[in-house]
Amino acid sequence: MKSSRTLGLVMITPAAIMILLFFLLPVVLTAVFSMTNMTTATGISGGVYQVAPNSLITLKSTMPDIADQLGEPRYTIDEAGLKALEGLNLSAGIVSELREKHMNEVFPSRREIERMIKDLNERPSTREVKQISDQFNRSVVNARFDSKDQLFSALDALGFKLTPEQKEAVAKATYTGWIWTSDNFSRMASSPDMARVLLNTVLYVALVLTIFNVGYALLLAIWTHYMPAAPASFFRGVWLLPRITPVVIYVMLWKWLAWDTGFISTLMGNFGYPPKNYLLDNAYNAWIFVVMINGFIGASMGMLVFSSAMKAIPKSQFYASEVDGASRWQQIRYIILPQMRWPILFVTCYQTLSLLASFNEILLSTNGGPGRATEIWALAAYHTALSNYAGNLEYGLGAAMALVLVVIGVTLSLIYLRIFNYGTLVSKPLIED
């Protein structure tokens, strides 16, 4: 007994490792990344402190006065500026007087430093005043600092008097690296765009799942079940074509059908209708094509699962029902459907998870358009984290959106198990052989 258990553990170990590496670990990493603000700008490693224009915009919402001061240059009499003056062929007395009387003095504006320069013993000309003041122009805008201490030292040298709370706010706004945060989830909860994308996702999954992946697939399986074997196999093979065709070719066929130079426009042109792109003409048409493109693929899988399950039903049940005078509809209602709970549960769960996570067909056909009318959650996560027009890829927000899909998928699966009464499906039969 022990040896058989050991052998079982050895045989199941590769599968357990595969599940850990390719299923559980990606989910864990997604959860980790979702708690960060990683973007293209922050990178995935530590960053620096930089008073960039975007950080000044952030500071203006909380400390407008400090943000305005940081954005303006200040003028500091320092050794670097004095050495630069020595190379301008100015009077030596100007440099020495600045060093003796005004060393490390900070002026908040050009007007004030130029007023001081004009009051020097050796009064420089107006042109020389401008040259001198330029040598002491100091600003922290776009300067990069490796640590908080360097940032605060630079601010202190320019005469900024900040409280500890203000310093922390400046440090947070100017840090270019990633940080741990839960802001991604609050952004999703408060964004009207996310609400629209979520509604699109609910509509997409509900329509494709009920109309095609379960409803039409079950109808196809029943139709072919009552057909002779040869034509039934032919029709099943035809319905497999959308699934086995490469997705790029499959979507291109639909585009050829819907483009302004495609089949529909050519056909409607014979009746006086001008050509147009039916795929992206309006949101209503786009949704029709999105549902049909994805529905035909999903219906083929459901048809195979349901057809196989129907073949497993003992033929004696059908023969007995025919003897009792049962119609086809009565056979479907009282023999087929009651024994299809397991297959319907499997197809519903599997296809729901597949629809939530897949976006290839929508990406290739409409790319979420027109506008964002057909943008679903998985496609929005892809655009957010991996491909968008703005160029700043938000890895953390995209991971948070993906994690939401995982939670929704698990929740829906548990609901399905409850609806189909999973406990009775796996319970022991009352009469055992």
Side-chain angles (χ1 to χ4, degrees), residues 91-132:
S91 173
I94 295 177
V95 177
S96 60
E97 186 176 356
L98 288 173
R99 179 177 283 112
E100 293 174 3
K101 296 181 179 180
H102 301 283
M103 190 65 174
N104 296 324
E105 192 172 345
V106 178
F107 298 88
S109 66
R110 177 185 286 270
R111 176 181 298 178
E112 293 191 23
I113 190 174
E114 289 184 351
R115 184 181 301 159
M116 179 274 294
I117 295 172
K118 291 177 181 178
D119 291 337
L120 294 175
N121 294 331
E122 297 187 22
R123 297 175 60 87
S125 64
T126 303
R127 178 174 173 274
E128 290 175 337
V129 168
K130 298 293 183 184
Q131 286 181 318
I132 295 171

Side-chain angles (χ1 to χ4, degrees), residues 171-193:
K172 181 179 179 181
T174 58
Y175 185 60
T176 60
W178 62 272
I179 59 173
W180 297 105
T181 179
S182 59
D183 289 346
N184 295 322
F185 299 97
S186 59
R187 285 179 61 186
M188 286 189 291
S190 60
S191 172
D193 291 336

Side-chain angles (χ1 to χ4, degrees), residues 19-68:
I19 292 174
L20 177 64
L21 292 179
F22 297 104
F23 291 92
L24 297 180
L25 187 60
V27 174
V28 172
L29 290 177
T30 299
V32 171
F33 282 117
S34 69
M35 300 301 295
T36 71
N37 68 335
M38 286 186 185
T39 65
T40 305
T42 66
I44 61 175
S45 60
V48 297
Y49 296 87
Q50 183 176 16
V51 186
N54 59 331
S55 59
L56 292 177
I57 293 174
T58 302
L59 281 173
K60 278 189 176 181
S61 61
T62 55
M63 299 187 302
D65 294 338
I66 300 298
D68 292 338

Side-chain angles (χ1 to χ4, degrees), residues 103-229:
M103 190 65 174
N104 296 324
E105 192 172 345
V106 178
F107 298 88
S109 66
R110 177 185 286 270
R111 176 181 298 178
E112 293 191 23
I113 190 174
E114 289 184 351
R115 184 181 301 159
M116 179 274 294
I117 295 172
K118 291 177 181 178
D119 291 337
L120 294 175
N121 294 331
E122 297 187 22
R123 297 175 60 87
S125 64
T126 303
R127 178 174 173 274
E128 290 175 337
V129 168
K130 298 293 183 184
Q131 286 181 318
I132 295 171
S133 62
D134 287 339
Q135 307 310 313
F136 302 106
N137 187 332
R138 302 290 181 264
S139 175
V140 292
V141 176
N142 292 326
R144 298 169 66 90
F145 305 95
D146 294 330
S147 65
K148 287 184 181 180
D149 292 337
Q150 292 183 9
L151 171 63
F152 297 150
S153 296
L155 295 179
D156 291 339
L158 293 180
F160 289 98
K161 305 299 181 183
L162 304 179
T163 65
E165 292 78 11
Q166 291 175 331
K167 286 185 176 181
E168 286 303 316
V170 170
K172 181 179 179 181
T174 58
Y175 185 60
T176 60
W178 62 272
I179 59 173
W180 297 105
T181 179
S182 59
D183 289 346
N184 295 322
F185 299 97
S186 59
R187 285 179 61 186
M188 286 189 291
S190 60
S191 172
D193 291 336
M194 293 295 181
R196 179 183 179 185
V197 171
L198 181 60
L199 180 61
N200 287 347
T201 306
V202 173
L203 179 65
Y204 166 71
V205 173
L207 290 177
V208 177
L209 183 68
T210 56
I211 296 176
F212 285 95
N213 292 6
V214 176
Y216 191 54
L218 185 59
L219 191 61
L220 284 173
I222 294 173
W223 278 344
T224 55
H225 177 74
Y226 285 104
M227 284 184 179

Side-chain angles (χ1 to χ4, degrees), residues 196 200 283 286-287 290 362 366-376 379:
R196 179 183 179 185
N200 287 347
W287 269 108
V290 163
I362 299 180
T366 67
N367 197 25
R372 298 188 70 182
T374 57
E375 181 103 339
I376 62 171
L379 182 60

Side-chain angles (χ1 to χ4, degrees), residues 65-76:
D65 294 338
I66 300 298
D68 292 338
Q69 293 176 27
L70 290 175
E72 295 294 332
R74 293 203 170 191
Y75 296 82
T76 304

